[in-house]
Short mmCIF file of all heavy atoms in Angstrom, two decimals:
data_model
loop_
_atom_site.label_atom_id
_atom_site.label_comp_id
_atom_site.label_asym_id
_atom_site.label_seq_id
_atom_site.Cartn_x
_atom_site.Cartn_y
_atom_site.Cartn_z
N TRP A 16 46.46 -9.85 16.26
CA TRP A 16 46.98 -10.53 15.08
C TRP A 16 45.99 -10.52 13.92
O TRP A 16 46.34 -10.52 12.77
CB TRP A 16 47.37 -11.97 15.40
CG TRP A 16 46.21 -12.79 15.90
CD1 TRP A 16 45.80 -12.90 17.19
CD2 TRP A 16 45.32 -13.58 15.12
NE1 TRP A 16 44.72 -13.70 17.27
CE2 TRP A 16 44.40 -14.15 16.02
CE3 TRP A 16 45.23 -13.87 13.74
CZ2 TRP A 16 43.38 -14.98 15.60
CZ3 TRP A 16 44.21 -14.71 13.33
CH2 TRP A 16 43.30 -15.26 14.25
N LEU A 17 44.74 -10.47 14.28
CA LEU A 17 43.73 -10.61 13.22
C LEU A 17 43.76 -9.48 12.20
O LEU A 17 43.50 -9.66 11.03
CB LEU A 17 42.34 -10.65 13.85
CG LEU A 17 41.89 -12.06 14.18
CD1 LEU A 17 40.71 -12.01 15.12
CD2 LEU A 17 41.55 -12.81 12.90
N TYR A 18 44.01 -8.30 12.71
CA TYR A 18 44.01 -7.19 11.77
C TYR A 18 45.39 -6.57 11.60
O TYR A 18 45.57 -5.51 11.07
CB TYR A 18 42.98 -6.13 12.18
CG TYR A 18 43.12 -5.63 13.58
CD1 TYR A 18 43.75 -4.42 13.81
CD2 TYR A 18 42.65 -6.38 14.63
CE1 TYR A 18 43.89 -3.96 15.09
CE2 TYR A 18 42.80 -5.93 15.92
CZ TYR A 18 43.42 -4.71 16.17
OH TYR A 18 43.55 -4.26 17.43
N LEU A 19 46.36 -7.28 12.12
CA LEU A 19 47.72 -6.84 11.99
C LEU A 19 48.09 -6.67 10.53
O LEU A 19 48.70 -5.69 10.13
CB LEU A 19 48.63 -7.90 12.64
CG LEU A 19 50.07 -7.50 12.93
CD1 LEU A 19 50.09 -6.37 13.97
CD2 LEU A 19 50.84 -8.71 13.43
N SER A 20 47.65 -7.63 9.75
CA SER A 20 48.03 -7.65 8.34
C SER A 20 47.71 -6.33 7.65
O SER A 20 48.47 -5.85 6.84
CB SER A 20 47.32 -8.79 7.62
OG SER A 20 45.94 -8.62 7.77
N SER A 21 46.62 -5.72 8.04
CA SER A 21 46.25 -4.49 7.35
C SER A 21 47.26 -3.39 7.62
O SER A 21 47.44 -2.51 6.80
CB SER A 21 44.85 -4.05 7.77
OG SER A 21 44.82 -3.91 9.16
N PHE A 22 47.93 -3.47 8.73
CA PHE A 22 48.85 -2.40 9.05
C PHE A 22 50.22 -2.54 8.38
O PHE A 22 50.99 -1.61 8.34
CB PHE A 22 48.99 -2.25 10.57
CG PHE A 22 47.72 -1.78 11.16
CD1 PHE A 22 46.76 -2.68 11.56
CD2 PHE A 22 47.43 -0.42 11.20
CE1 PHE A 22 45.56 -2.24 12.06
CE2 PHE A 22 46.22 0.02 11.70
CZ PHE A 22 45.28 -0.90 12.13
N CYS A 23 50.45 -3.71 7.87
CA CYS A 23 51.67 -3.88 7.09
C CYS A 23 51.57 -3.07 5.80
O CYS A 23 52.56 -2.76 5.17
CB CYS A 23 51.90 -5.34 6.75
SG CYS A 23 52.13 -6.33 8.21
N LEU A 24 50.34 -2.73 5.43
CA LEU A 24 50.14 -1.97 4.21
C LEU A 24 49.76 -0.55 4.56
O LEU A 24 48.96 0.10 3.91
CB LEU A 24 49.05 -2.63 3.39
CG LEU A 24 49.42 -4.03 2.93
CD1 LEU A 24 48.18 -4.80 2.55
CD2 LEU A 24 50.40 -3.98 1.78
N TYR A 25 50.33 -0.13 5.67
CA TYR A 25 49.98 1.15 6.24
C TYR A 25 50.14 2.27 5.23
O TYR A 25 49.30 3.14 5.08
CB TYR A 25 50.89 1.36 7.44
CG TYR A 25 50.55 2.55 8.27
CD1 TYR A 25 49.33 2.58 8.96
CD2 TYR A 25 51.42 3.60 8.38
CE1 TYR A 25 49.02 3.66 9.74
CE2 TYR A 25 51.11 4.69 9.16
CZ TYR A 25 49.91 4.71 9.85
OH TYR A 25 49.62 5.78 10.62
N PHE A 26 51.23 2.24 4.53
CA PHE A 26 51.47 3.25 3.51
C PHE A 26 51.61 2.59 2.15
O PHE A 26 52.28 1.58 2.02
CB PHE A 26 52.76 4.03 3.80
CG PHE A 26 52.53 5.19 4.71
CD1 PHE A 26 52.33 4.99 6.07
CD2 PHE A 26 52.46 6.48 4.20
CE1 PHE A 26 52.10 6.07 6.90
CE2 PHE A 26 52.24 7.55 5.05
CZ PHE A 26 52.06 7.36 6.41
N ALA A 27 50.97 3.18 1.21
CA ALA A 27 51.17 2.69 -0.15
C ALA A 27 52.33 3.48 -0.74
O ALA A 27 52.52 4.64 -0.44
CB ALA A 27 49.92 2.93 -0.97
N VAL A 28 53.10 2.83 -1.53
CA VAL A 28 54.21 3.51 -2.17
C VAL A 28 53.88 3.61 -3.65
O VAL A 28 53.74 2.62 -4.34
CB VAL A 28 55.51 2.72 -1.97
CG1 VAL A 28 56.66 3.45 -2.63
CG2 VAL A 28 55.78 2.55 -0.48
N ILE A 29 53.66 4.81 -4.07
CA ILE A 29 53.19 5.02 -5.42
C ILE A 29 54.36 5.37 -6.34
O ILE A 29 55.05 6.36 -6.12
CB ILE A 29 52.17 6.17 -5.49
CG1 ILE A 29 51.06 5.98 -4.44
CG2 ILE A 29 51.61 6.33 -6.88
CD1 ILE A 29 50.14 4.83 -4.71
N GLY A 30 54.53 4.54 -7.33
CA GLY A 30 55.55 4.82 -8.35
C GLY A 30 56.94 5.02 -7.76
O GLY A 30 57.79 5.64 -8.38
N GLY A 31 57.15 4.50 -6.57
CA GLY A 31 58.47 4.61 -5.95
C GLY A 31 58.85 6.04 -5.65
O GLY A 31 59.99 6.34 -5.37
N GLU A 32 57.89 6.95 -5.69
CA GLU A 32 58.25 8.35 -5.49
C GLU A 32 57.71 8.91 -4.18
O GLU A 32 58.25 8.70 -3.12
CB GLU A 32 57.76 9.18 -6.67
CG GLU A 32 58.55 8.91 -7.94
CD GLU A 32 57.92 9.63 -9.10
OE1 GLU A 32 57.18 10.60 -8.87
OE2 GLU A 32 58.16 9.20 -10.25
N VAL A 33 56.53 9.54 -4.32
CA VAL A 33 56.00 10.24 -3.15
C VAL A 33 55.43 9.26 -2.14
O VAL A 33 54.61 8.42 -2.49
CB VAL A 33 54.89 11.22 -3.58
CG1 VAL A 33 54.50 12.09 -2.39
CG2 VAL A 33 55.36 12.06 -4.75
N LYS A 34 55.85 9.35 -0.91
CA LYS A 34 55.29 8.49 0.13
C LYS A 34 54.17 9.23 0.82
O LYS A 34 54.32 10.37 1.24
CB LYS A 34 56.38 8.11 1.13
CG LYS A 34 57.42 7.24 0.49
CD LYS A 34 58.47 6.79 1.49
CE LYS A 34 59.52 5.96 0.79
NZ LYS A 34 60.30 6.79 -0.18
N ARG A 35 53.07 8.58 0.93
CA ARG A 35 51.90 9.21 1.56
C ARG A 35 51.03 8.11 2.13
O ARG A 35 51.11 6.97 1.66
CB ARG A 35 51.13 10.04 0.53
CG ARG A 35 50.84 9.25 -0.74
CD ARG A 35 50.32 10.12 -1.88
NE ARG A 35 50.66 9.50 -3.16
CZ ARG A 35 49.74 9.10 -4.06
NH1 ARG A 35 48.47 9.27 -3.84
NH2 ARG A 35 50.13 8.54 -5.19
N PRO A 36 50.19 8.44 3.10
CA PRO A 36 49.33 7.39 3.67
C PRO A 36 48.41 6.84 2.60
O PRO A 36 48.07 7.53 1.63
CB PRO A 36 48.53 8.14 4.73
CG PRO A 36 49.29 9.38 5.02
CD PRO A 36 50.01 9.73 3.74
N ARG A 37 48.00 5.61 2.81
CA ARG A 37 47.10 4.95 1.87
C ARG A 37 45.82 5.77 1.71
O ARG A 37 45.29 6.33 2.67
CB ARG A 37 46.75 3.56 2.42
CG ARG A 37 45.81 2.77 1.53
CD ARG A 37 45.36 1.51 2.23
NE ARG A 37 46.50 0.66 2.58
CZ ARG A 37 47.10 -0.15 1.71
NH1 ARG A 37 46.69 -0.19 0.46
NH2 ARG A 37 48.09 -0.92 2.11
N GLY A 38 45.37 5.83 0.45
CA GLY A 38 44.10 6.49 0.19
C GLY A 38 44.18 8.00 0.10
O GLY A 38 43.16 8.68 0.07
N VAL A 39 45.40 8.55 0.07
CA VAL A 39 45.56 10.00 -0.01
C VAL A 39 46.03 10.37 -1.41
O VAL A 39 46.93 9.73 -1.95
CB VAL A 39 46.58 10.50 1.04
CG1 VAL A 39 46.87 11.98 0.86
CG2 VAL A 39 46.04 10.23 2.44
N ALA A 40 45.42 11.39 -1.99
CA ALA A 40 45.85 11.86 -3.30
C ALA A 40 47.18 12.58 -3.18
O ALA A 40 47.48 13.14 -2.11
CB ALA A 40 44.80 12.81 -3.87
N ILE A 41 47.97 12.55 -4.24
CA ILE A 41 49.28 13.22 -4.21
C ILE A 41 49.11 14.68 -3.80
O ILE A 41 49.88 15.21 -3.00
CB ILE A 41 49.96 13.14 -5.60
CG1 ILE A 41 50.30 11.69 -5.90
CG2 ILE A 41 51.21 14.03 -5.65
CD1 ILE A 41 50.93 11.47 -7.25
N SER A 42 48.05 15.27 -4.29
CA SER A 42 47.84 16.69 -4.00
C SER A 42 47.65 16.95 -2.51
O SER A 42 47.82 18.06 -2.04
CB SER A 42 46.62 17.20 -4.78
OG SER A 42 45.48 16.47 -4.39
N LYS A 43 47.26 15.92 -1.78
CA LYS A 43 47.01 16.12 -0.34
C LYS A 43 48.12 15.50 0.51
O LYS A 43 48.05 15.53 1.75
CB LYS A 43 45.68 15.50 0.05
CG LYS A 43 44.49 16.19 -0.61
CD LYS A 43 43.35 16.38 0.37
CE LYS A 43 42.28 17.27 -0.23
NZ LYS A 43 40.98 16.61 -0.29
#
Side-chain angles (χ1 to χ4, degrees):
Chain A
W16 60 273
L17 269 164
Y18 54 100
L19 195 64
S20 59
S21 56
F22 293 90
C23 298
L24 297 161
Y25 188 65
F26 273 76
V28 181
I29 309 291
E32 289 173 21
V33 189
K34 294 183 182 66
R35 50 191 153 119
R37 180 188 301 279
V39 173
I41 294 178
S42 60
K43 295 222 170 122

